Amino acid sequence: MSEPAVGILISGAGSNMLALVEAMQTGEVPARPAIVVSNDPQAAGLAKASALGVPTAVVDHRASKGDREAFDAAVNAKLREAGAEIVACAGFMRIMTPVLTGAWAGRMLNIHPSLLPLFKGLGTHARALEAGVCVHGATVHEVTQELDSGAILGQAAIPVLPGDTAQTLAARVLEREHVLYPRVLTAFIRDPEAARQTPIAIFPDP
Ligand code: GRF
């Protein structure tokens, strides 16, 4: 797939979205940003995407009143209208149904702030501290119907330092997420099967 159009799903600050869009715009990632879709009209990432000239759309999940399929269908429509060929979830905080995961099977990635399969779901940094691990990090994986469980495409590790809090850990992991996600997306665009077979591993500086 050469220079595919990428749809990006966000819910909040959008720093991973920004890292992906900037990497596409500099040519580091051989793709173009088609649209940024948020489920939250207040998401700070929307303005950041607009500032970079990327079209945005809001599908407010509250309008679907708990009907996850209807919400997913509306998001899917935005992605299709924009011509997206690959979808990158970047801090998209919604549980998806097969309406989305099925439609984009094999073409949808997510970034999760832990070294999967450890710490699926929310509160990953606090849970890592609670568990006493000394290595933590982030994972880019394919999206399947089972939460945070698709094929691992890349991981970035960082040490847990004495005195770390969930906040300090989150900040250091996030910084590595911004390096990991563009690299994994590039590998996936070039050859999805090779990306699955040979995930990218980023280790901390010794
Ligand atoms: C990131 O840590 C991401 O891994 C997680 O939520 C956070 C989103 O941050 N799913 P941002 O919106 O990309 O700044």
PDB file of all heavy atoms in Angstrom, residues 33 39 62 78 80 83 127 149 162 165:
ATOM      1  N   PRO A  33      -2.696  12.103   6.313  1.00  0.00           N
ATOM      2  CA  PRO A  33      -3.787  12.115   7.282  1.00  0.00           C
ATOM      3  C   PRO A  33      -5.100  12.505   6.600  1.00  0.00           C
ATOM      4  O   PRO A  33      -5.207  13.597   6.042  1.00  0.00           O
ATOM      5  CB  PRO A  33      -3.357  13.166   8.307  1.00  0.00           C
ATOM      6  CG  PRO A  33      -2.388  14.048   7.578  1.00  0.00           C
ATOM      7  CD  PRO A  33      -1.791  13.251   6.462  1.00  0.00           C
ATOM      8  N   ASN A  39     -14.779  11.552  19.657  1.00  0.00           N
ATOM      9  CA  ASN A  39     -16.097  11.319  20.253  1.00  0.00           C
ATOM     10  C   ASN A  39     -16.464  12.431  21.222  1.00  0.00           C
ATOM     11  O   ASN A  39     -17.585  12.480  21.707  1.00  0.00           O
ATOM     12  CB  ASN A  39     -16.111   9.987  21.015  1.00  0.00           C
ATOM     13  CG  ASN A  39     -15.155   9.997  22.195  1.00  0.00           C
ATOM     14  OD1 ASN A  39     -13.940  10.058  21.985  1.00  0.00           O
ATOM     15  ND2 ASN A  39     -15.667   9.972  23.407  1.00  0.00           N
ATOM     16  N   ARG A  62     -22.444  10.759  23.297  1.00  0.00           N
ATOM     17  CA  ARG A  62     -23.631  10.971  24.141  1.00  0.00           C
ATOM     18  C   ARG A  62     -24.901  11.069  23.306  1.00  0.00           C
ATOM     19  O   ARG A  62     -25.987  10.779  23.795  1.00  0.00           O
ATOM     20  CB  ARG A  62     -23.455  12.236  24.991  1.00  0.00           C
ATOM     21  CG  ARG A  62     -22.385  12.038  26.071  1.00  0.00           C
ATOM     22  CD  ARG A  62     -21.942  13.328  26.665  1.00  0.00           C
ATOM     23  NE  ARG A  62     -21.295  14.173  25.665  1.00  0.00           N
ATOM     24  CZ  ARG A  62     -20.529  15.218  25.938  1.00  0.00           C
ATOM     25  NH1 ARG A  62     -20.308  15.561  27.191  1.00  0.00           N
ATOM     26  NH2 ARG A  62     -19.984  15.934  24.977  1.00  0.00           N
ATOM     27  N   LYS A  78     -17.858   8.590   8.887  1.00  0.00           N
ATOM     28  CA  LYS A  78     -16.887   9.706   8.766  1.00  0.00           C
ATOM     29  C   LYS A  78     -15.575   9.219   8.148  1.00  0.00           C
ATOM     30  O   LYS A  78     -14.982   9.897   7.302  1.00  0.00           O
ATOM     31  CB  LYS A  78     -16.594  10.327  10.139  1.00  0.00           C
ATOM     32  CG  LYS A  78     -17.781  11.003  10.797  1.00  0.00           C
ATOM     33  CD  LYS A  78     -18.177  12.260  10.067  1.00  0.00           C
ATOM     34  CE  LYS A  78     -19.316  12.974  10.786  1.00  0.00           C
ATOM     35  NZ  LYS A  78     -19.973  13.978   9.914  1.00  0.00           N
ATOM     36  N   ARG A  80     -15.104   6.592   6.198  1.00  0.00           N
ATOM     37  CA  ARG A  80     -15.341   6.247   4.782  1.00  0.00           C
ATOM     38  C   ARG A  80     -15.437   7.501   3.919  1.00  0.00           C
ATOM     39  O   ARG A  80     -14.841   7.565   2.844  1.00  0.00           O
ATOM     40  CB  ARG A  80     -16.634   5.448   4.639  1.00  0.00           C
ATOM     41  CG  ARG A  80     -16.622   4.134   5.373  1.00  0.00           C
ATOM     42  CD  ARG A  80     -16.019   3.019   4.527  1.00  0.00           C
ATOM     43  NE  ARG A  80     -16.121   1.749   5.238  1.00  0.00           N
ATOM     44  CZ  ARG A  80     -15.144   0.850   5.307  1.00  0.00           C
ATOM     45  NH1 ARG A  80     -13.989   1.069   4.735  1.00  0.00           N
ATOM     46  NH2 ARG A  80     -15.323  -0.276   5.962  1.00  0.00           N
ATOM     47  N   GLY A  83     -12.306   8.888   2.997  1.00  0.00           N
ATOM     48  CA  GLY A  83     -11.453   8.040   2.154  1.00  0.00           C
ATOM     49  C   GLY A  83     -10.369   7.300   2.915  1.00  0.00           C
ATOM     50  O   GLY A  83      -9.371   6.871   2.320  1.00  0.00           O
ATOM     51  N   ARG A 127      -1.369   0.832  38.053  1.00  0.00           N
ATOM     52  CA  ARG A 127      -1.351  -0.620  38.249  1.00  0.00           C
ATOM     53  C   ARG A 127       0.053  -1.182  38.093  1.00  0.00           C
ATOM     54  O   ARG A 127       0.436  -2.146  38.773  1.00  0.00           O
ATOM     55  CB  ARG A 127      -2.341  -1.284  37.289  1.00  0.00           C
ATOM     56  CG  ARG A 127      -3.793  -1.056  37.727  1.00  0.00           C
ATOM     57  CD  ARG A 127      -4.774  -1.205  36.586  1.00  0.00           C
ATOM     58  NE  ARG A 127      -4.729  -2.521  35.991  1.00  0.00           N
ATOM     59  CZ  ARG A 127      -5.055  -2.787  34.716  1.00  0.00           C
ATOM     60  NH1 ARG A 127      -5.438  -1.806  33.915  1.00  0.00           N
ATOM     61  NH2 ARG A 127      -5.008  -4.002  34.270  1.00  0.00           N
ATOM     62  N   SER A 149      -6.016  -6.728  22.744  1.00  0.00           N
ATOM     63  CA  SER A 149      -5.544  -8.111  22.586  1.00  0.00           C
ATOM     64  C   SER A 149      -5.069  -8.484  21.185  1.00  0.00           C
ATOM     65  O   SER A 149      -4.644  -9.618  20.981  1.00  0.00           O
ATOM     66  CB  SER A 149      -6.658  -9.085  22.995  1.00  0.00           C
ATOM     67  OG  SER A 149      -6.937  -8.934  24.365  1.00  0.00           O
ATOM     68  N   PRO A 162      12.888   4.908  41.047  1.00  0.00           N
ATOM     69  CA  PRO A 162      12.500   5.156  42.436  1.00  0.00           C
ATOM     70  C   PRO A 162      11.775   6.496  42.523  1.00  0.00           C
ATOM     71  O   PRO A 162      12.210   7.476  41.924  1.00  0.00           O
ATOM     72  CB  PRO A 162      13.841   5.220  43.192  1.00  0.00           C
ATOM     73  CG  PRO A 162      14.818   4.521  42.308  1.00  0.00           C
ATOM     74  CD  PRO A 162      14.337   4.701  40.898  1.00  0.00           C
ATOM     75  N   THR A 165       5.681   8.312  40.204  1.00  0.00           N
ATOM     76  CA  THR A 165       4.247   8.309  40.463  1.00  0.00           C
ATOM     77  C   THR A 165       3.571   7.915  39.150  1.00  0.00           C
ATOM     78  O   THR A 165       4.231   7.863  38.096  1.00  0.00           O
ATOM     79  CB  THR A 165       3.754   9.699  40.859  1.00  0.00           C
ATOM     80  OG1 THR A 165       3.968  10.589  39.741  1.00  0.00           O
ATOM     81  CG2 THR A 165       4.492  10.227  42.087  1.00  0.00           C
TER      82      THR A 165
END
